Amino acid sequence: MEQQLDRAPCGYLVLDQDLRIVEMNKTLQKMTGVKNPQHMHDLLTIASRVYFQTYFTPSIKMHGTVNEMFLTLKSDEGPMPVLMNTAERDGFYECALIQMSVRGEYEKELLLAKRNAEQINRETAEAYEKLQALLAEVECKQQELMDLNRKLQQLATTDQLTGLKNRRYLEERLAEFLAQAENGRKVAVLILDIDHFKQVNDTYGHLMGDAVLQELAWRLETEVGPEGIVTRLGGEEFVVVMPDAGIEESLKLGNTLCNLMETADWQHVPVTVSIGAAAYAAGDGVDSLLARADGFLYKAKANGRNCVFGIE
């Protein structure tokens, strides 16, 4: 390594595509005090390692650069925040790291802003391992790079806990259906909420609550089938989009789902659902249609729960 780069006032790091350390200047060695690090993960705190795994590799593969990535390094004096810029050159990643004075709160906010990466569950970790394996195979192969982009799009639109499509996907597809509805196509939605779900978490714990959400997602997909789209809105709320259906069909499906959940042989904790149903009306946008269904959901809960409410 050139002496000028070795004495640079910022950390300098070269990584191979497996994130192994190829070179590290003396400035960075002094900053961290970590002896003989072999891999980028050896330099990172646990929280930053999770964030790094989630964001760095997809970004560098897609754009060739990563700008102003906030990380926390391990050092002899405790956690050390740095700002990292990275560029890909000749198959290696050249990184410049500048020590920052802002600490825990900034890091915490940034992690939360990056989709709560610190709470990624086991399913997300497994999906990421598959993505890493795919990345290792796509060098210089244009077709496999296209496959990788499709995989990244899937992750961006998939709820990690249940495997259902997420709110982002819901809003994009529903906007498409509403545009078609302006030309006469019918579309309806159901909003489902698990009754007394807080009691499940309080009584059995959040892991059991997650298992109930996963089982409910499976039951919804099985019953709705390919004719509809089942998504997770957030928390214990789910949305079913019903193309080519009006309020009559949506109320019928809502009643079917209520009865199914009430009588199902649950593998975990039995639950019931309350449902609000709404169909497209002239002038509806995504927000107004979902808001109307949500209003009917509250009426269903006010009517004693375990029922569907809408206007036929």
Side-chain angles (χ1 to χ4, degrees), residues 27-228:
T27 303
L28 186 56
Q29 293 175 9
K30 292 178 181 179
M31 286 167 60
T32 63
V34 178
K35 297 181 179 179
N36 300 319
Q38 301 297 312
H39 194 277
M40 184 62 185
H41 292 171
D42 297 338
L43 299 175
L44 299 172
T45 63
I46 293 176
S48 275
R49 188 181 305 170
V50 172
Y51 170 40
F52 186 85
Q53 290 174 330
T54 305
Y55 177 74
F56 179 85
T57 299
S59 182
I60 196 72
K61 287 291 183 181
M62 292 182 67
H63 306 295
T65 61
V66 175
N67 297 319
E68 297 186 353
M69 186 176 188
F70 188 85
L71 298 169
T72 301
L73 305 183
K74 295 183 289 189
S75 75
D76 292 339
E77 298 180 358
M80 177 177 64
V82 298
L83 199 63
M84 184 178 80
N85 289 312
T86 304
E88 182 179 6
R89 186 174 288 109
D90 298 327
F92 293 91
Y93 305 139
E94 297 187 7
C95 311
L97 297 92
I98 301 175
Q99 187 172 358
M100 302 285 289
S101 59
V102 180
R103 291 183 179 271
E105 288 303 317
Y106 180 38
E107 180 184 24
K108 179 180 178 181
E109 292 175 4
L110 189 56
L111 291 175
L112 291 175
K114 295 300 179 180
R115 302 181 63 205
N116 295 318
E118 76 286 353
Q119 295 181 352
I120 293 178
N121 52 35
R122 183 173 57 193
E123 287 78 11
T124 304
E126 292 173 356
Y128 181 74
E129 288 176 4
K130 293 179 182 178
L131 183 59
Q132 284 291 83
L134 183 60
L135 286 172
E137 298 172 2
V138 298
E139 290 179 304
C140 303
K141 298 179 182 180
Q142 183 62 36
Q143 183 57 47
E144 292 182 10
L145 284 174
M146 293 174 63
D147 293 339
L148 171 62
N149 288 333
R150 285 194 292 269
K151 180 65 175 177
L152 290 173
Q153 178 63 24
Q154 178 183 356
L155 289 175
T157 57
T158 301
D159 175 62
Q160 303 299 330
L161 176 64
T162 64
L164 298 176
K165 294 301 183 180
N166 61 15
R167 181 167 189 156
R168 174 181 174 180
Y169 180 89
L170 165 67
E171 293 178 349
E172 290 176 354
R173 290 304 309 277
L174 191 53
E176 295 174 6
F177 288 129
L178 291 180
Q180 297 169 9
E182 293 178 358
N183 296 319
R185 185 178 187 182
K186 295 195 293 185
V187 62
V189 296
L190 300 176
I191 295 186
L192 301 87
D193 184 271
I194 300 176
D195 296 329
H196 305 297
F197 185 66
K198 184 177 184 299
Q199 294 181 9
V200 175
N201 284 329
D202 291 345
T203 304
Y204 301 100
H206 288 278
L207 289 178
M208 181 60 71
D210 288 347
V212 170
L213 292 172
Q214 291 169 333
E215 184 175 356
L216 175 61
W218 170 77
R219 292 185 181 278
L220 287 173
E221 278 199 311
T222 301
E223 184 63 29
V224 171
E227 291 78 14

Side-chain angles (χ1 to χ4, degrees), residues 246-266:
I247 190 63
E248 181 179 353
E249 294 91 342
S250 65
L251 289 172
K252 181 178 179 181
L253 177 60
N255 280 312
T256 298
L257 293 176
C258 283
N259 293 333
L260 174 68
M261 301 311 164
E262 183 180 18
T263 59
D265 183 15
W266 289 83

Side-chain angles (χ1 to χ4, degrees), residues 170-171 174 189 191 233 239 285-295:
L170 165 67
E171 293 178 349
L174 191 53
V189 296
I191 295 186
L233 188 62
V239 174
V286 171
D287 291 341
S288 62
L289 181 58
L290 291 177
R292 195 160 65 254
D294 194 51

